[in-house]
């Protein structure tokens, strides 16, 4: 039995783990089997995370966060949660490998999942020209003509990154102005390999085995057209990943988990939520990290209110002092 189990390993999850571990709560992080580190594992340069004046690669940042959490005694399990029972004082977390972990409190920080266009051929051609991850798949499009759909920061980032490989990158956006930040817009506008296709919705993806084009519909005139491309990168935002808690935690109309004011407290005592899963607006790595801090502090406060003998029965920190002292010992 644990004092706290943190579900999710993005900036919110790992920051919650750093705080919980330093509060001697011996947290267990369930980090996912394939997506450990969260969405930042799929990004490239992060230029707006404070403390990294020269920028840092997304995967490097996440590795540092994991190491920092482990340094203070966090245990990280690379598996998926398949079932969560949140009612009652003892929460139950079932993993893909069949293990069941119990905890007095839960920090739910599962982030968000990429949005899909909802087109019939999107799934069929996924991995065959349709992608949600430029850093993962960009390499396959050397000297090709490809398209990115979306008008936010993600779309600009993907398009700019993809010009490293592709000869031409169309950005398809359903409006005539972007949602992306000015800096990201300007970078994309000034890139000679990027061409914007405004007021256009992707209404079809063509190709029998590999993507060979996309159908477009003008969102103003309704006129249809076709663009020959060998890849389509979908960057139209993300939705909170809440399927594990449906029917247990209260959910807002926008899909985020309901929390009490500026706290991380959900409708179930002992269950706290953090990061993209509660944030429909800001969704930055640094705001998620701040949200993880709030959740860890709320969990710590809650655990302090429980009877001592109950908490004493939980896994206790493994030699936290020794872990902290290690760097000095090595230097000596
Ligand atoms: P956003 O929600 O900001 O943007 C989504 C974009 O996709 C919008 O332009 C939207 O159009 C469009 N869109 C949504 N649904 C559809 C659809 N069904 N068909 C066509 N287009 C659609 O998501 P992002 O992933 O871009 O960004 C999420 C957050 O992450 C933001 O806060 C962003 O700032 C941040 N971010 C920051 C980065 C950085 O700073 N380096 C990099 C990447 C993301 P419309 O404008 O018409 O609504």
């Amino acid at each position: 039995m644990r004092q706290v189990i943190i579900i999710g390993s993005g900036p919110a999850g790992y920051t919650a783990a750093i705080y919980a571990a330093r509060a001697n709560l011996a947290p267990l992080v369930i980090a996912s089997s394939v997506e450990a580190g969260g969405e930042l594992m799929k990004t490239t340069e992060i230029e707006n995370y404070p403390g990294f004046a020269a920028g840092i690669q997304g995967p490097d940042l996440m590795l540092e966060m994991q190491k920092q959490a482990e340094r203070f005694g966090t245990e990280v399990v690379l598996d998926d949660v398949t079932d969560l029972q949140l009612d009652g004082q003892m929460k139950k977390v079932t993993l893909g490998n069949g293990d069941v972990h119990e905890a007095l409190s839960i920090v739910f920080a599962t982030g968000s999942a990429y949005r899909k266009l909802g087109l019939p051929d999107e799934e069929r051609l996924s991995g065959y020209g349709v992608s949600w991850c430029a850093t993962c798949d960009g390499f396959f499009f050397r000297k090709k003509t490809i398209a990115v759909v979306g008008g936010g920061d993600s779309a600009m980032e993907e398009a700019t990154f993809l010009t490293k490989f592709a000869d031409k990158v169309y950005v398809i956006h359903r409006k005539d102005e972007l949602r992306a930040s000015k800096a990201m817009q300007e970078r994309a506008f000034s890139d000679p390999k990027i061409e914007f296709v405004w007021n256009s919705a992707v209404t079809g993806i063509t190709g029998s085995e590999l993507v060979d084009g996309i159908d477009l519909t003008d969102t103003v005139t309704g006129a249809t057209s076709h663009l020959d491309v060998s890849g389509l990168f979908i960057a139209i935002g993300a939705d909170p990943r809440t399927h594990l808690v449906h029917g247990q935690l209260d959910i807002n109309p926008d899909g985020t988990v309901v929390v009490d004011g500026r706290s991380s407290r959900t409708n179930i005592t002992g269950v706290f939520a953090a990061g993209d899963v509660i944030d429909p607006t800001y969704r930055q790595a640094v705001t998620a990290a701040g949200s993880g801090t709030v959740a860890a502090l709320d969990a710590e406060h809650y655990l302090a209110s429980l009877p001592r003998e109950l908490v004493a029965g939980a896994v206790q920190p493994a030699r936290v002092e020794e872990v902290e002292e290690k760097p000095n010992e090595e230097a000596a």
Side-chain angles (χ1 to χ4, degrees), residues 48 151-154 157 173-175 179 236-237 282-284:
N48 52 10
D153 281 335
S154 298
E157 187 177 66
H173 185 39
R174 61 187 180 183
K175 290 187 182 143
R179 180 192 289 253
I236 58 171
Y282 301 106
R283 295 177 37 220
Q284 302 296 301

Side-chain angles (χ1 to χ4, degrees), residues 50-318:
F52 298 94
I56 182 166
Q57 295 291 313
D60 293 342
L61 178 62
M62 295 323 299
L63 201 62
E64 285 300 314
M65 285 193 197
Q66 179 179 348
K67 281 200 271 185
Q68 193 175 354
E70 287 175 335
R71 178 182 156 207
F72 299 112
T74 299
E75 190 183 337
V76 178
V77 171
L78 298 179
D79 205 344
D80 304 305
V81 175
T82 53
D83 188 55
L84 255 184
Q85 283 173 38
L86 299 175
D87 54 338
Q89 194 164 55
M90 199 63 78
K91 323 296 179 193
K92 281 205 174 81
V93 181
T94 306
L95 303 189
N97 66 6
D99 287 356
V100 179
H101 295 272
E102 292 185 326
L104 292 167
S105 69
I106 297 284
V107 172
F108 189 67
T110 48
S112 49
Y114 291 127
R115 239 174 241 152
K116 297 188 171 158
L117 289 166
L119 297 172
D121 293 302
E122 194 172 1
E123 283 300 331
R124 180 177 67 81
L125 291 167
S126 165
Y128 298 91
V130 173
S131 171
W132 283 262
C133 178
T135 45
C136 318
D137 300 328
F139 189 73
F140 301 115
F141 296 91
R142 270 170 301 166
K143 300 197 181 306
K144 300 273 168 58
T145 295
I146 57 179
V148 173
V149 56
D153 281 335
S154 298
M156 295 314 107
E157 187 177 66
E158 302 260 299
T160 306
F161 177 76
L162 287 165
T163 59
K164 283 188 187 179
F165 308 99
D167 277 348
K168 183 166 188 80
V169 179
Y170 289 105
V171 173
I172 319 290
H173 185 39
R174 61 187 180 183
K175 290 187 182 143
D176 62 0
E177 59 181 357
L178 299 171
R179 180 192 289 253
S181 63
K182 277 279 173 289
M184 306 278 270
Q185 291 196 23
E186 272 155 26
R187 194 171 304 170
F189 286 147
S190 64
D191 194 316
K193 285 187 174 178
I194 297 178
E195 181 178 333
F196 283 81
V197 182
W198 301 106
N199 293 324
S200 295
V202 178
T203 43
I205 308 170
T206 58
S208 55
E209 282 173 18
L210 292 172
V211 170
D212 64 19
I214 50 176
D215 298 323
L216 300 178
T217 301
D218 190 301
T219 52
V220 179
T221 64
T224 56
S225 59
H226 185 82
L227 208 54
D228 290 337
V229 292
S230 41
L232 176 66
F233 286 81
I234 301 170
I236 58 171
D239 293 311
R241 224 183 250 125
T242 54
H243 61 279
L244 281 169
V245 296
H246 279 170
Q248 300 190 79
L249 296 186
D250 289 347
I251 305 288
N252 288 307
D254 63 17
T256 53
V257 172
V258 175
V259 287
D260 181 12
R262 296 178 62 210
S263 81
S264 65
R265 290 188 298 272
T266 68
N267 58 301
I268 298 185
T269 307
V271 180
F272 307 90
D276 277 12
V277 89
I278 63 166
D279 178 8
T281 315
Y282 301 106
R283 295 177 37 220
Q284 302 296 301
V286 69
T287 52
S291 173
T293 306
V294 170
L297 294 175
D298 285 344
E300 187 185 349
H301 187 72
Y302 167 71
L303 289 161
S305 74
L306 297 178
R308 258 166 195 256
E309 38 312 345
L310 186 62
V311 177
V315 172
Q316 296 300 315

